[in-house]
Amino acid sequence: MTQSISPPRGDTGKAAPDAAPPAWRALVPRADVRILSLLGVLAALVVIGGITKPDQFLDTRNLQLVLTQASVIGVVTVGMTFVITSGGIDLSVGAIVALASVWATTVATQEYGFAGVLFTAVIVGVGCGLINGLLVAYGGMVPFIATLAMLASARGLALQITDGQTQIVTIDSILELGNRDSYVLGIPPLVLVFAVVTVIGWLVLNRTTFGRRTVAVGGNAEAARLAGIDVRRQRLYLYLLSGLCCGIAAFLLIVLSGSGQNTNGNLYELDAIAAAIIGGTLLTGGRSTITGSVLGVLIFTTITNIFALNNLQSDVQQIAKGAIIVAAVLVQRRTTSTT
């Protein structure tokens, strides 16, 4: 009769369940450290701003301005985070924002009032996202090329619509959203919209099947396909989501500026990608964090505000942003190589 030998603790048998929790717990501090480091950078920037221009930087109106400016690019960054998580890229977000903003502020569109402007901005963004998604998912085009073509086309169409002129918004209900009287407990409406988009984005990415499929596609598209995920359809949905965020951002920009211009959204694609990267989203896909992306947006917006208050040249500001991006990528490579 064969005698069964109980495996020693820590080797087999009960070892697997005992060993799994420590491995899982080891990931939690790493994620916390990444977020805490971003919070530390943001806190350091606040201290620098408070020291260099205490009366101006720490003024309530200036802080509200920083949050308001961050809201527009922040909404775009939420959509960009989803796309990058899947292993894609969207270089057209700034051009889509411009096209949606000018299309929504034409005289014909403004005749339909608040709802007409909002609907047009959103539908134009979703339409552009649909084209990107079809080209990438079903047309087999590389995301870089497909979205680069959309960038050029959307910018050209926006210029054609405006003929290079600024389109002024004349709808009082839209203009009033930018006034201080419309603030809720001192919080601008644009910031509240950004907060809602952020919370929804976090929930979708972390608490839904859609989010898990997005991460799976970015981690290994072929393995995701073999697991039963429709990879092409998932990518289509992601570019639709990015277009939706661009449409919302276009409307926020209309409220903020009170106009539509073909130059709106200039370099938004770079700012959104940079914010997602320093927030911890891998360019190769498979890992991301909405919280980190939002902190990245706040960091870049705060840097811009500090430079503006100190009358520093924009080229120095761009150099500083470039240095931050390079440092973030190097940190990413180091952390991923050790995991």
Side-chain angles (χ1 to χ4, degrees):
M1 181 175 65
T2 304
Q3 181 179 3
S4 60
I5 301 176
S6 300
R9 295 178 62 87
D11 292 335
T12 56
K14 296 182 178 180
D18 291 342
W24 168 250
R25 286 197 297 267
L27 295 176
V28 177
R30 187 179 298 124
D32 290 343
V33 168
R34 186 182 300 113
I35 298 300
L36 288 175
S37 63
L38 292 173
L39 288 172
V41 172
L42 184 59
L45 290 174
V46 172
V47 171
I48 292 173
I51 293 176
T52 56
K53 292 289 182 179
D55 296 335
Q56 300 178 34
F57 180 80
L58 297 178
D59 183 72
T60 302
R61 295 193 176 188
N62 182 66
L63 296 179
Q64 290 172 337
L65 176 63
V66 171
L67 291 176
T68 301
Q69 292 175 337
S71 299
V72 180
I73 184 62
V75 172
V76 175
T77 302
V78 171
M80 180 70 78
T81 300
F82 275 88
V83 172
I84 297 179
T85 303
S86 70
I89 199 74
D90 191 348
L91 300 179
S92 63
V93 291
I96 294 175
V97 169
L99 178 59
S101 68
V102 300
W103 205 323
T105 54
T106 60
V107 175
T109 303
Q110 292 193 54
E111 291 180 355
Y112 293 93
F114 185 101
V117 173
L118 175 59
F119 175 79
T120 302
V122 171
I123 203 66
V124 170
V126 172
C128 292
L130 175 62
I131 296 174
N132 281 336
L134 290 175
L135 292 176
V136 173
Y138 294 95
M141 292 186 66
V142 177
F144 181 91
I145 301 299
T147 57
L148 184 63
M150 176 57 72
L151 183 156
S153 301
R155 282 289 178 193
L157 184 55
L159 179 60
Q160 187 178 45
I161 291 175
T162 61
D163 196 23
Q165 303 298 316
T166 299
Q167 298 179 162
I168 304 300
V169 176
T170 59
I171 303 173
D172 293 335
S173 56
I174 292 179
L175 298 175
E176 289 172 358
L177 290 177
N179 297 333
R180 296 185 61 85
D181 295 337
S182 64
Y183 289 9
V184 180
L185 299 177
I187 303 176
L190 275 66
V191 178
L192 295 177
V193 173
F194 177 35
V196 171
V197 172
T198 299
V199 171
I200 293 176
W202 186 91
L203 291 174
V204 171
L205 185 60
N206 296 281
R207 294 292 184 268
T208 66
T209 303
F210 182 87
R212 291 190 290 271
R213 288 175 178 173
T214 301
V215 174
V217 170
N220 190 321
E222 181 61 20
R225 185 187 67 81
L226 294 176
I229 298 176
D230 191 331
V231 175
R232 293 190 299 178
R233 185 173 61 185
Q234 185 69 18
R235 285 174 174 163
L236 173 62
Y237 288 162
L238 289 168
Y239 281 99
L240 282 172
L241 176 60
S242 179
L244 173 62
C245 289
C246 288
I248 296 173
F251 181 76
L252 297 183
L253 192 57
I254 291 171
V255 173
L256 182 62
S257 63
S259 63
Q261 305 176 52
N262 66 284
T263 56
N264 283 343
N266 188 35
L267 296 181
Y268 272 19
E269 57 276 358
L270 298 183
D271 288 342
I273 294 171
I277 291 173
I278 70 170
T281 300
L282 290 179
L283 273 174
T284 53
R287 191 186 74 188
S288 65
T289 162
I290 295 294
T291 304
S293 296
V294 170
L295 289 175
V297 170
L298 293 176
I299 287 172
F300 277 129
T301 308
T302 304
I303 290 175
T304 302
N305 184 260
I306 292 175
F307 274 67
L309 291 178
N310 288 275
N311 296 320
L312 297 177
Q313 297 180 354
S314 60
D315 54 352
V316 180
Q317 173 184 325
Q318 297 301 325
I319 293 173
K321 287 184 177 181
I324 293 175
I325 295 172
V326 171
V329 173
L330 291 176
V331 170
Q332 273 194 4
R333 294 185 60 182
R334 181 177 180 84
T335 55
T336 52
S337 62
T338 56
T339 55

